Amino acid sequence: MLGKLRNVTLLCVLLPFICHSAITGQLIVGDDEVKFAIKDVTSQSTPILELSSHSDFSRIMYSSDAGVLSSKTYVWTVKFSELTNGFCYWRVIAGDECYDEGNSFYVTKGNDPDEYTPVKDAVKYPKAKLENKNELTLESLWIRSQNIGNGLYKCHDKHLSMTSVHCFNHGFVVRDGVIYVSRGSLNVSSWDHDKSLLWLDRYDLATGEELPFLRIKLQGDADFTGDDVMPWIREDDDGTVYFTSAKYFTTASTAYALYTVDLDNLLGEDDEVAYASEQLKFSLNGNVKGAMFFSVKGSIKNRQYQMWMSPGITSLMTWDEMKFDIYRWSVDGRKVLEEKATISDAALVLNNKSSFMGALAKVYPVDNDYFYLHNNREQRNHDFFYPTLYRFTPNGQCALVGSVSNNPKLALSDYSFSSGMSMLDVNGASLIAYGIPMSGASAVRIVETPSFTDNFSGHKSLWEINPVGFSSDMKQGCEVQFITDGGESLDGHLVIYVANGGMAVYRLKVKPDPLGIADVEAEEFSYRIDGTTLTFSRQLERADLYTLSGRKVRGASHASSLSIDGLSPDIYILTGCGISPVKIVKIPNRSAKL
């Protein structure tokens, strides 16, 4: 016998939120398998068996709709080889109903689970020399990838998403040495059954080891707004973590909400709960479907921000007829201005001219009216749009500034890869990261750009990360962040997330131009605080203000000052081209000088 079971409960009862009579479930134990039998399932939907090592089914190890029906009884057969050691919970999902037994059974397979061992990227990346004479060194700390067998957790909510393996990029944030990844599935686990919570997966920044997940709730366990919550976890310019409710393509929804999450005050015995707060309710007029990825530029806390979104394309279009809308909400205190513009020249930035439907766009606002757009085709060959830069024109046509196709040195083949754009500031240098196809799978390219509003012609490739590919799965997304050490250090961690593929963390070392340091010593630099403005003694080609934890809170090009309105009294680090890092003490209504 390959496995042994104990603490077996044979009576299966309904969860308390299902108003239905109890049904009978049974476990039938064999030498190398266990059968789950359940009868009198009244739903017309095909029932699905789910097994989990967690009583709330936040981690599903097994999901199957292959139950055999005989005499009103469904029977599933599961090999012990498909289970893991320890307690196992089981339930059956049928339509909107959930049948669950009250206790667990225990599985012992003879071998303890292997301990997690970090795996490093074997590629030796060359040093990169930037235009500002800084030198960057990239060293692997760890890598997780589906292609090497140690990828991130995949959601098995087969009753909620289209298949058990489709995971979408929901982004990540880093806090105190922990990477928080939004649950990668079309919907959150058990969303049909509990609209009061969702989950963030957690990984150790130093090693990549998976940590206990985090539940996100509203105060009082109230329901989140709308039909679906598919959170794209991101940070605004102040470092506030946010997400929105969302709606997939099936039907239109008019109710949406923007939420913020407090990751600094976790609750529960093991810090397993964080609370979200509703910041803004809004609606989309008309039959808008596929409103999924919302991005914020500005400060949610101070109610001075813009929120951007592009809904999905739900009807079949030929490549030369394709157009879609860009929405922008400008929030100023209690005032909310909704604007819409159209992109009708997107056919210029497609890498395949076949007809398609189901585009899922992500909008990345830059400065003023500029925004990056990266998109993928949900159906057909899953081909992607090229990474693209547009300029927003309210109630008009967005102007195409440029795309990767403008630069022959950065040509991309006609193959699926990871959608998503990331803007990185490394000691005043502007870097961009996006997904590319490599070896029939997904890799990540990092380029240097003269500015975030360059038309791509001035881009220079620095590295192509993980050339063997993170995964060949077609439903992916790419997001990259540079997390600085803070203080006087210019170094930090480069975190790369490829949903459905994996994650990698590198040590990014920054060696400044020694001639530039000599120039700083020769030319004195000072600053003063004038109310809510940080004023410099001379103009800087680039100036950025960071917290001591390494989060950028302000930044500008060709700057002689920076606004510090809304920042908390604290110590900040000013970096810029031509100066050494400077400690700034923000003291309200007082002046300070170096």
Side-chain angles (χ1 to χ4, degrees), residues 85-341:
N85 288 327
F87 286 98
C88 181
Y89 298 83
W90 70 293
R91 71 181 181 185
V92 172
I93 302 293
D96 293 332
E97 299 178 2
C98 179
Y99 306 92
D100 192 5
E101 53 88 25
N103 297 302
S104 65
F105 60 88
Y106 197 90
V107 178
T108 302
K109 298 170 64 175
N111 295 320
D112 293 331
D114 294 333
E115 293 186 2
Y116 172 78
T117 302
V119 177
K120 290 189 176 184
D121 185 352
V123 177
K124 301 298 182 183
Y125 296 95
K127 293 183 179 181
K129 194 77 171 181
L130 303 181
E131 291 299 319
N132 62 6
K133 308 303 181 183
N134 285 354
E135 186 178 77
L136 305 183
T137 302
L138 200 63
E139 298 177 357
S140 173
L141 296 182
W142 54 266
I143 185 170
R144 299 186 67 149
S145 166
Q146 294 296 331
N147 283 359
I148 61 176
N150 69 342
L152 305 181
Y153 170 75
K154 283 190 175 183
C155 183
H156 289 267
D157 291 336
K158 199 166 185 178
H159 62 290
L160 296 177
S161 59
M162 290 177 290
T163 76
S164 61
V165 297
H166 284 174
C167 298
F168 292 78
N169 179 13
H170 293 183
F172 71 90
V173 296
V174 177
R175 284 289 190 280
D176 298 325
V178 176
I179 304 172
Y180 294 82
V181 180
S182 183
R183 173 60 57 85
S185 64
L186 178 61
N187 300 72
V188 296
S189 182
S190 301
W191 176 251
D192 281 350
H193 309 296
D194 192 346
K195 295 187 178 183
S196 66
L197 60 85
L198 24 107
W199 286 281
L200 296 183
D201 295 329
R202 293 189 279 190
Y203 295 88
D204 182 66
L205 178 66
T207 66
E209 183 173 10
E210 185 176 2
L211 305 175
F213 58 89
L214 181 71
R215 297 176 178 87
I216 307 298
K217 295 184 177 183
L218 287 177
Q219 293 286 351
D221 292 339
D223 286 352
F224 289 102
T225 296
D227 300 321
D228 296 329
V229 171
M230 195 184 77
W232 188 21
I233 294 294
R234 308 204 72 203
E235 294 177 285
D236 69 3
D237 290 350
D238 285 340
T240 300
V241 180
Y242 70 88
F243 65 91
T244 68
S245 54
K247 184 61 184 175
Y248 197 56
F249 295 135
T250 51
T251 58
S253 178
T254 57
Y256 297 89
L258 170 69
Y259 302 96
T260 57
V261 181
D262 183 5
L263 295 180
D264 297 322
N265 297 286
L266 304 184
L267 304 174
E269 294 182 0
D270 299 309
D271 288 340
E272 78 274 14
V273 176
Y275 279 104
S277 301
E278 186 178 271
Q279 301 295 328
L280 178 69
K281 282 187 176 180
F282 58 100
S283 61
L284 285 168
N285 298 322
N287 189 31
V288 177
K289 301 178 182 180
M292 297 164 63
F293 301 116
F294 295 80
S295 184
V296 168
K297 180 70 176 176
S299 173
I300 298 175
K301 179 177 61 177
N302 295 321
R303 295 192 64 82
Q304 297 287 331
Y305 61 93
Q306 292 179 334
M307 184 169 62
W308 299 66
M309 186 275 298
S310 178
I313 297 175
T314 59
S315 59
L316 187 65
M317 292 186 180
T318 60
W319 72 276
D320 56 343
E321 295 176 340
M322 193 275 295
K323 65 179 181 179
F324 50 92
D325 296 325
I326 304 293
Y327 285 83
R328 182 175 72 180
W329 293 265
S330 297
V331 179
D332 182 4
R334 296 181 179 274
K335 298 179 181 178
V336 180
L337 173 65
E338 178 184 323
E339 298 172 299
K340 185 175 76 170

Side-chain angles (χ1 to χ4, degrees), residues 374-387:
H374 208 187
N375 210 325
N376 76 289
R377 301 178 185 181
E378 177 63 16
Q379 298 185 12
R380 299 286 173 166
N381 297 322
H382 301 275
D383 303 308
F384 284 71
F385 293 57
Y386 289 121

